[in-house]
């Protein structure tokens, strides 16, 4: 998901930097658009560094020859089509007036007209400007048009006066943005315990046994759950990707460490989702020195703890969801795991298929739940969509608890 964040010229412009960070924490890409006046308050470089994206600073960015660049002249159309919401924070009285009257004389105001995405504005200005009949009338026009207005707070203002006009708290702006993005907060109040990634079982100081797992499915679920309002406790094995920064992360290596971390966090959780590709076996006697090559050798293995089974046996009123990577008889095996391990839901992926599953951004899964013999097919799509579908089923099971189907 991507939002356009318009920053206009007010003392509160610096507060937009924190808004960029909070949105990114939730996995949302941010394209910052600064008005000329905003650039008097904060340098575009600050936003470029924070957002990792080029900041739009004008309608006609100039190329090396100082000639207006033709592609930049129509960039507002491209940005308008690429964003899922336009958020303006802080929004001055001037930009509200431009939006209300449809005057498009810079990038941000042209973007407002060109986008069909939902629009959120967080006004900030002097109290008299806020109370002025012109501002009130413009706000009324915008409100009627469906623009979401995050009302400013009251207090001491930078101009020395006291009253309404302070930029709303960041949390309120983020909540309005998430709402505009259609991210319902149906997991607010829930704490989701998630395992993700592979585990590594030591053979000697330089070698280990592991599973093919990028952690992407688990991290997508973590991000999606956060965006739907949950607190997320993420227990993860080693991966090459960055976990969502709003998740509370516990890094582990071995199955034993993952088990200990998960059991310790279990009491805090209300929903458990185990996506980790836990190694099923570990070396019985891992070497303390590097094992030398001396012709054929065999490795004595012993099973690791089945974390999912152990968690499910102590689940209480929690919902417990497992994942199953199968290469044959996927549904049959998954149904057995669902009932055998006392799970509420299992998400099966057939990892024998090309291009989905391991090390891919895409996945195709079948969801089995304890209350139905019907299966839910999620045909090949991005892992983000799969995560949303899994969370939809969790919310359904939570809101309509039914007894498990007897097979
Ligand atoms: N799992 C676990 N602890 C293990 C092994 C698996 O918690 N030691 C969890 C995984 O995170 C996943 C689910 O169990 O959610 C199913 O994993 P999978 O490897 O498909 O199933 P297993 O029960 O190990 O069965 P098998 O390997 O025989 O198919």
């Amino acid at each position: 998901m991507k939002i356009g964040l318009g920053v206009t010229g007010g003392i509160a412009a610096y507060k937009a930097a924190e808004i960029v960070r909070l949105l990114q924490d939730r996995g949302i890409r941010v394209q910052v658009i600064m008005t000329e006046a905003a650039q008097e308050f904060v340098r575009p470089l600050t936003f470029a560094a924070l957002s990792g994206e080029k900041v739009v600073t004008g309608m006609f960015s100039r190329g090396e020859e100082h000639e207006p660049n033709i592609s930049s002249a129509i960039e507002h159309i491209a940005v308008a089509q690429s964003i899922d919401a336009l958020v303006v924070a802080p929004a001055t009285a001037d930009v509200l007036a431009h939006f209300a009257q449809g005057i498009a004389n810079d990038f941000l105001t042209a973007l407002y007209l060109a986008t069909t995405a939902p629009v959120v504005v967080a006004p900030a200005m002097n109290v008299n400007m806020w109370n002025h009949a012109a501002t009130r009338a413009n706000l009324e026009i915008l409100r009627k048009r469906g623009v979401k207005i995050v009302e400013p707070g009251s207090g001491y203002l930078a101009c020395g006066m006291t009253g309404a006009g302070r930029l709303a708290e960041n949390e309120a702006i983020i909540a309005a943005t998430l709402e505009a993005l259609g991210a319902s907060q149906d997991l607010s109040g829930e704490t989701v315990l998630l395992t993700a990634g592979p585990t590594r079982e030591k053979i000697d100081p330089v070698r280990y046994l592991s599973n093919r797992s990028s952690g992407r499915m688990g991290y997508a679920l973590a991000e999606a759950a956060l965006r739907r309002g949950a607190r997320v406790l993420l227990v993860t094995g080693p991966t090459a990707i960055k976990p969502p920064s709003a998740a509370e992360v516990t890094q582990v290596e071995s199955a034993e460490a993952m088990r200990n971390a998960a059991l310790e966090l279990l009491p805090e959780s209300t929903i458990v989702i185990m996506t980790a590709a836990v190694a099923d076996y570990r070396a019985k006697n891992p070497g303390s020195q590097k094992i030398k090559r001396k012709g054929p050798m065999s490795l004595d293995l012993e099973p690791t703890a089945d974390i999912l089974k152990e968690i499910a046996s102590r689940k209480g009123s929690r919902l417990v969801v497992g994942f199953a990577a199968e290469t044959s008889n996927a549904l049959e095996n998954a149904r057995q795991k669902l009932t055998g391990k006392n799970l509420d839901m299992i998400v099966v992926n057939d990892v024998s298929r090309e291009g989905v599953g391991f090390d891919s951004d895409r996945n195709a899964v079948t969801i089995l739940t304890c209350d139905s013999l019907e299966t839910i097919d999620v045909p090949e799509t991005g892992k983000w969509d799969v995560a949303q579908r899994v969370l939809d089923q969790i919310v359904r099971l939570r809101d309509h608890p039914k007894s498990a189907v007897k097979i």
Side-chain angles (χ1 to χ4, degrees):
M1 284 214 180
K2 183 176 171 187
I3 69 140
L5 177 63
V7 182
T8 67
I11 299 282
Y14 75 94
K15 293 187 179 168
E18 182 68 3
I19 295 172
V20 172
R21 202 187 56 74
L22 290 169
L23 289 168
Q24 284 183 324
D25 278 357
R26 288 163 177 79
I28 299 167
R29 280 177 59 201
V30 185
Q31 164 75 69
V32 177
I33 303 106
M34 299 182 80
T35 60
E36 250 179 57
Q39 294 164 51
E40 299 290 332
F41 290 91
V42 186
R43 300 272 298 143
L45 192 59
T46 303
F47 288 108
L50 283 172
S51 68
E53 310 252 351
K54 200 179 120 227
V55 172
V56 177
T57 51
M59 197 60 146
F60 305 102
S61 66
R62 289 175 190 270
E64 291 202 343
E65 252 72 81
H66 300 288
E67 285 300 319
N69 179 342
I70 193 66
S71 65
S72 71
I74 53 166
E75 204 180 336
H76 60 285
I77 306 293
V79 175
Q81 285 165 352
S82 73
I83 56 176
D84 299 293
L86 172 63
V87 181
V88 185
T92 55
D94 179 65
V95 84
L96 297 176
H98 276 78
F99 281 7
Q101 303 307 321
I103 300 168
N105 62 347
D106 68 2
F107 195 101
L108 182 58
T109 48
L111 176 61
Y112 167 73
L113 290 187
T115 192
T116 53
V119 179
V120 177
V121 295
M125 64 196 74
N126 159 277
V127 59
N128 291 343
M129 292 172 81
W130 174 247
N131 288 330
H132 197 283
T135 305
R136 310 249 49 104
N138 288 331
L139 284 167
E140 200 41 41
I141 291 173
L142 294 176
R143 200 173 278 125
K144 282 207 180 112
R145 220 179 265 157
V147 172
K148 166 91 189 145
I149 293 147
V150 190
E151 297 277 328
S154 282
Y156 178 78
L157 303 174
C159 55
M161 295 176 73
T162 303
R166 278 170 72 103
L167 183 68
E169 295 297 328
N170 287 341
E171 288 68 36
I173 299 170
I174 300 296
T177 305
L178 294 176
E179 204 185 304
L181 288 170
S184 67
Q185 298 290 287
D186 51 5
L187 288 176
S188 86
E190 304 287 357
T191 300
V192 179
L193 169 60
L194 249 160
T195 64
T199 65
R200 286 180 182 171
E201 311 304 325
K202 184 178 162 193
I203 297 173
D204 69 18
V206 293
R207 304 183 181 96
Y208 55 79
L209 287 169
S210 192
N211 271 324
R212 278 183 70 186
S213 165
S214 65
R216 283 199 179 92
M217 191 62 243
Y219 289 16
L221 271 160
E223 211 169 285
L226 282 165
R227 207 152 328 143
R228 288 166 79 148
R231 178 178 171 220
V232 172
L233 312 174
L234 178 63
V235 180
T236 177
T239 68
I241 56 172
K242 219 174 129 254
S245 34
E248 294 161 53
V249 180
T250 309
Q251 300 272 2
V252 296
E253 288 241 336
S254 65
E256 188 59 23
M258 185 171 274
R259 171 188 173 270
N260 293 343
L263 286 177
E264 197 182 315
L265 293 169
L266 183 65
E268 289 182 54
S269 68
T270 55
I271 294 168
V272 184
I273 311 174
M274 312 224 104
T275 69
V278 185
D280 284 319
Y281 289 91
R282 64 177 173 213
K284 208 167 176 181
N285 302 302
S288 56
Q289 303 293 326
K290 185 179 170 197
I291 301 168
K292 291 291 177 198
R293 181 166 137 143
K294 289 194 275 275
M297 72 167 286
S298 54
L299 202 55
D300 257 347
L301 300 178
E302 62 183 9
T304 55
D306 187 333
I307 309 170
L308 181 60
K309 197 169 177 184
E310 206 171 335
I311 293 262
S313 71
R314 309 182 186 185
K315 71 179 189 181
S317 58
R318 289 174 196 88
L319 282 172
V320 178
V321 179
F323 268 67
E326 303 287 352
T327 51
S328 60
N329 297 334
L331 288 187
E332 214 174 292
N333 288 339
R335 180 75 63 194
Q336 260 171 26
K337 284 178 193 170
L338 180 72
T339 48
K341 293 190 187 181
N342 190 25
L343 309 179
D344 297 282
M345 185 166 132
I346 192 152
V347 184
V348 201
N349 53 347
D350 181 347
V351 287
S352 60
R353 290 185 45 186
E354 279 289 312
V356 295
F358 297 134
D359 261 334
S360 163
D361 278 327
R362 303 186 69 73
N363 210 352
V365 303
T366 304
I367 301 173
L368 286 76
T369 57
C370 64
D371 65 341
S372 170
L373 290 174
E374 306 268 306
T375 59
I376 299 152
D377 275 317
V378 184
E380 187 184 333
T381 182
K383 286 187 173 170
W384 173 255
D385 282 337
V386 175
Q388 295 292 359
R389 296 291 299 276
V390 170
L391 295 181
D392 288 347
Q393 287 306 316
I394 290 176
V395 169
R396 187 187 62 76
L397 278 176
R398 179 199 64 189
D399 294 346
H400 305 282
K402 288 195 195 123
S403 50
V405 174
K406 295 268 175 293
I407 302 169

